Amino acid sequence: MSISEEKPTLTLEQVVQELELRIVLGRLRPKERLVEEDLILELGVKRHIIRSAFLELERRHLVDRRPNKGARVRDYSVEEVNALSAFRADLYRLAISKIRFPISTKSLAELRRIASAYEIAGQAGDYAGAVALDNAFHTCLSELCENRFLTASIEEMSTAARPIDCFRIADPATMSRAVADHQQIIEAATRGHASELAELCVNHVFASSDTYNREVLLHRHLSRKESLRR
């Protein structure tokens, strides 16, 4: 291979995005170890890039790092999932209480544009695109409170909850529910019904966490049964 044909080196942010996507889409499972050597060979980057990526993923609450044990995909307990969801619900309630209604036509149009693009991405099986658009939708919504600190807090907790929110995103029923939720949120925002909007956002958060808890608990139960058979 000539120099001009060499595969371009990934940046730190690109490595972080790739690993985050694998975690969010379940390609890397909770408790799964991230092996430095394997990732260096696969992604073609230096060790310091992988280690810096682990640090950033830890900051985003997506992995746990332990001395001499490397990094593993974070494994949320049911209690942690419920606590995180409750905190996010409180943040959404606060943010929506700060929104000045009526919402501008421009902001509503942007929410509709993102929601439509999300639905198209899901139908096309572009789950990476759907994840990014779901993030964009909720960021656009939270920014309506016009408080950058509150918006930043919502974004940080949303990042931590991304594996929960996007769990089973490839399932048609899950995708349909998310599309319907987005539409109802837009309709409530258009009508200027703050209490209805807050309730819809809170229900959207808890629907994802309930699905995650059910599936993860079932998986752990089956894993324990399998271990006992061995």
Side-chain angles (χ1 to χ4, degrees):
M1 180 182 290
S2 67
I3 294 176
S4 61
E5 294 174 330
E6 287 182 0
K7 185 178 179 180
T9 302
L10 297 178
T11 65
L12 171 59
E13 183 56 31
Q14 287 172 324
V15 171
V16 170
Q17 289 175 353
E18 172 61 24
L19 295 178
E20 179 178 349
L21 187 61
R22 294 182 189 186
I23 293 169
V24 168
L25 296 181
R27 295 169 187 163
L28 290 171
R29 302 287 299 178
K31 293 186 178 181
E32 187 168 343
R33 185 166 171 257
L34 303 180
V35 182
E36 281 187 15
E37 297 296 340
D38 292 349
L39 291 171
I40 289 169
L41 290 173
E42 179 190 353
L43 301 177
V45 296
K46 301 292 186 182
R47 189 178 303 277
H48 74 274
I49 293 290
I50 295 297
R51 289 183 174 176
S52 295
F54 289 174
L55 283 170
E56 177 59 21
L57 290 169
E58 182 182 41
R59 189 190 70 78
R60 298 184 187 187
H61 310 284
L62 295 173
V63 305
D64 289 320
R65 292 187 318 118
R66 296 182 181 179
N68 304 316
K69 292 187 178 181
R72 291 183 184 273
V73 177
R74 184 159 187 175
D75 180 36
Y76 284 111
S77 67
V78 171
E79 292 75 18
E80 287 174 324
V81 171
N82 292 339
L84 177 57
S85 297
F87 184 45
R88 293 176 68 205
D90 287 342
L91 288 173
Y92 270 116
R93 291 188 186 99
L94 179 58
I96 290 166
S97 73
K98 304 296 182 184
I99 294 176
R100 291 184 290 182
F101 294 97
I103 296 171
S104 71
T105 301
K106 181 180 179 181
S107 295
L108 290 171
E110 180 63 5
L111 283 170
R112 292 191 185 97
R113 182 194 69 77
I114 298 170
S116 177
Y118 174 84
E119 183 175 8
I120 292 169
Q123 291 172 345
D126 177 14
Y127 302 119
V131 169
L133 288 161
D134 187 60
N135 297 338
F137 181 87
H138 291 286
T139 296
C140 183
L141 182 65
S142 67
E143 286 177 342
L144 295 174
C145 75
E146 299 181 352
N147 183 317
R148 63 189 179 92
F149 299 105
L150 182 50
T151 297
S153 296
I154 290 173
E155 288 183 356
E156 181 182 354
M157 292 301 99
S158 294
T159 298
R162 207 161 285 160
I164 300 167
D165 287 345
C166 297
F167 189 70
R168 294 184 63 82
I169 193 173
D171 176 55
T174 301
M175 177 60 69
S176 294
R177 188 202 73 214
V179 168
D181 285 356
H182 289 167
Q183 186 57 45
Q184 290 175 344
I185 286 170
I186 292 170
E187 290 172 359
T190 302
R191 291 193 295 269
H193 290 180
S195 60
E196 181 186 0
L197 179 58
E199 183 179 3
L200 287 167
C201 290
V202 168
N203 290 344
H204 184 66
V205 167
F206 280 111
S208 297
S209 63
D210 288 346
T211 298
Y212 183 88
N213 278 340
R214 282 196 306 271
E215 295 286 341
V216 169
L217 281 173
L218 176 61
H219 176 75
R220 288 173 182 166
H221 175 68
L222 293 175
S223 295
R224 282 196 294 268
K225 286 181 68 177
E226 184 63 27
S227 297
L228 291 172
R229 290 197 190 103
R230 292 174 183 172

